[in-house]
Structures are given as C-alpha cells and as structure tokens.
C-alpha cells in the first residue's frame, strides 16, 4: 500500500515512500530507447559495433546511420540483446549488416538527433518551484505546476521505469518514473492513470490524464524531479528539463 504524500498541509506526519525499484544485477544497463544528448554522427558505419557505457540503441542507430533506426537495429540483434530492447550491456557486439547501415551524411544525422526528453504537458506554468507558503508541509512548493484542464494528456518526460502509480495522500493519483540518470519524475493530481508499476515507458508516452485529485484548489499537473522516489528529495524540475534540452 503506497505511503501518503506530503504535498500540502494538513498532513502533519511525514511518511516517506519506500524505494520501489530493486537494483539490477550484473553489468546490464537499463537505458532509454530514445537518443541522448551528445550522440554525434560517425563516419560510414562498420559491420559491427561494440556497445559502450551510456549507449542506447537509438544513439547507436543515429551515429552509425542505420536505416530504420533503433527498431531495425534491435531486430537484427534481438537474439543477443534479449526481450528488453532497453537493456544493452557494455562490450556487447552488435551487427550493423542486418540493419542495413546507410551512408547518410553527418548533417542529416545531426538534424534528426534528439535529447530524448519532453515537457510533461502542454500548458502554462502556475505555481513555481520553491515558492514559500504555510500551505505546503515542507514550507515551500516542491514542484512546478502546469495549469491545464481536467483530461489533458500527461506525458513521461523521458524514458524510464514506473516505480509507483496510484493514490498517494495529498498528491491524489500520481505516477513516479525512474530514469536512466537515476533521477525520478513525479506527476500528481491526475484524474486517471494509464500505466502501472514495473512498466517501461518512452519519452512522450501518455501516462494518464490531468485532474484535481488530492489536496488541490483546481485542476493542474504538479510535476517534480527527485533524487529518490520519496517525498523530500526534490530538485528544480524546470532546470532539469532545460539541462536535457527542453524549452520551458
């Protein structure tokens, strides 16, 4: 049963949520499917590629000019990668022959490169991060609010794994996602949830609809970035998005 959130008073007792994600064993890296900042175009693709730490299939496909992108690369190497395309191991050798590598120019590759992060919702910014006020149990606003009507699509800001999805006290219906960089994004006050704990999501994937559940004065999305899945580990969410190339 999820612990209660501490977004607003009158919640007087803080109950932190236990981390819901077990650490992965071995050397496997849980990586997003979408390209990350810093994927640069490479010379004409070789027949094989050795996976490096921090690589994603999309990053490799872009740098090696693979026609069909990461999906084609995955299909060509599915027997080596396994059933989860988001998990690749450093040192693994991927074949590019079966993925039909092309001779695309560096200019074309750069033009299609993305950061792999998006805004959580299309809407105006309301209450900003760290605004002081006695209405919040921590004494300040731990996230950023996006003012949107009930039923607006809420999207995962980046690829990751859902660690919790459900009712959480003052936060109402919320979703918490762990990303490849170890940070967590939280989406609160939702009217309905479209994902469940343990599910892998991609950047921009709809995870539910905005609403006014929990302790609110009106419909909006309360969005946080955290260093852990628990309340009280918040970071500036807009600064985080900007660091990942998102204009907010």
């Amino acid at each position: 049963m999820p612990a209660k959130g501490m977004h607003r008073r009158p919640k007087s007792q803080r109950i932190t949520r236990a981390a819901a994600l077990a650490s992965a064993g071995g050397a496997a890296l849980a990586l997003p499917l979408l390209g990350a900042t810093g994927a640069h175009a490479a010379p004409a693709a070789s027949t094989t590629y050795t996976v490096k730490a921090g690589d994603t299939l999309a990053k490799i496909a872009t740098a090696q000019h693979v026609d069909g992108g990461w999906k084609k690369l995955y299909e060509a190497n599915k027997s080596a990668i396994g059933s989860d395309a988001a998990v690749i191991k450093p040192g693994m050798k991927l074949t590019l022959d079966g993925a039909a590598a092309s001779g695309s120019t560096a200019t074309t590759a750069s033009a299609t490169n993305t950061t792999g992060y998006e805004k959580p919702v299309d809407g105006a910014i309301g209450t900003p991060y760290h605004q002081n006020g006695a209405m919040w149990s921590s004494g300040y606003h731990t996230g950023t609010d996006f003012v949107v009507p009930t039923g607006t699509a809420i999207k995962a800001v980046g690829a990751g794994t859902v660690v919790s999805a459900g009712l959480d006290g003052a936060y109402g219906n919320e979703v918490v996602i762990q990303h490849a960089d170890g940070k967590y994004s939280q989406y609160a006050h939702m009217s309905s949830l479209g994902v469940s704990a343990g599910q892998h999501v991609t950047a921009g994937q709809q995870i539910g609809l905005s609403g006014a559940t929990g302790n609110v004065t009106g419909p909006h999305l309360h969005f946080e970035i955290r260093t852990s899945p628990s309340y009280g580990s918040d970071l500036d969410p807009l600064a985080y998005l900007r660091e990942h190339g998102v204009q907010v």
Side-chain angles (χ1 to χ4, degrees):
M1 178 173 183
K4 300 301 181 183
M6 293 291 291
H7 179 38
R8 291 174 180 262
R9 296 191 187 281
K11 302 296 181 184
S12 59
Q13 180 180 8
R14 176 178 301 177
I15 306 176
T16 58
R17 187 186 307 107
L21 183 68
S23 59
L29 299 179
L31 300 172
L33 299 182
L34 298 182
T37 303
H40 300 294
S46 58
T47 57
T48 62
Y49 177 85
T50 302
V51 176
K52 303 177 181 63
D55 274 343
T56 67
L57 290 181
K59 181 177 178 180
I60 296 168
T62 298
Q64 299 297 321
H65 318 305
V66 176
D67 287 338
W70 70 266
K71 290 184 180 180
K72 187 72 174 180
L73 186 61
Y74 174 58
E75 287 301 320
N77 295 276
K78 191 171 183 179
S79 60
I81 297 172
S83 60
D84 191 348
V87 180
I88 54 177
K89 300 177 181 179
M92 179 184 291
K93 293 190 180 296
L94 304 180
T95 177
L96 301 177
D97 291 343
S102 72
S104 302
T105 64
T107 301
T108 301
S110 297
T112 59
N113 191 27
T114 66
T115 65
Y117 281 79
E118 298 189 14
K119 288 177 62 176
V121 69
D122 294 323
I125 294 175
T127 305
Y129 175 65
H130 237 275
Q131 179 169 309
N132 293 327
M135 69 181 68
W136 295 295
S137 56
S138 62
Y140 68 89
H141 194 228
T142 53
T144 294
D145 288 346
F146 289 86
V147 182
V148 290
T150 297
T152 304
I154 304 301
K155 300 172 289 186
V157 295
T161 301
V162 178
V163 298
S164 65
L167 280 171
D168 186 19
Y171 283 118
N173 288 321
E174 69 158 12
V175 170
V176 177
I177 299 172
Q178 183 182 30
H179 302 285
D181 61 1
K183 301 299 190 298
Y184 296 77
S185 57
Q186 183 233 20
Y187 315 76
H189 308 311
M190 298 165 71
S191 61
S192 65
L193 305 176
V195 293
S196 56
Q199 181 177 340
H200 181 81
V201 296
T202 56
Q205 179 177 333
Q206 183 173 322
I207 59 174
L209 300 175
S210 64
T213 57
N215 192 354
V216 297
T217 57
H220 67 279
L221 170 68
H222 175 83
F223 173 68
E224 293 188 18
I225 293 295
R226 300 169 171 179
T227 59
S228 80
S230 303
Y231 172 86
S233 61
D234 50 278
L235 300 172
D236 185 337
L238 297 191
Y240 177 84
L241 291 178
R242 290 175 183 132
E243 288 171 2
H244 289 79
V246 180
Q247 295 184 353
V248 287

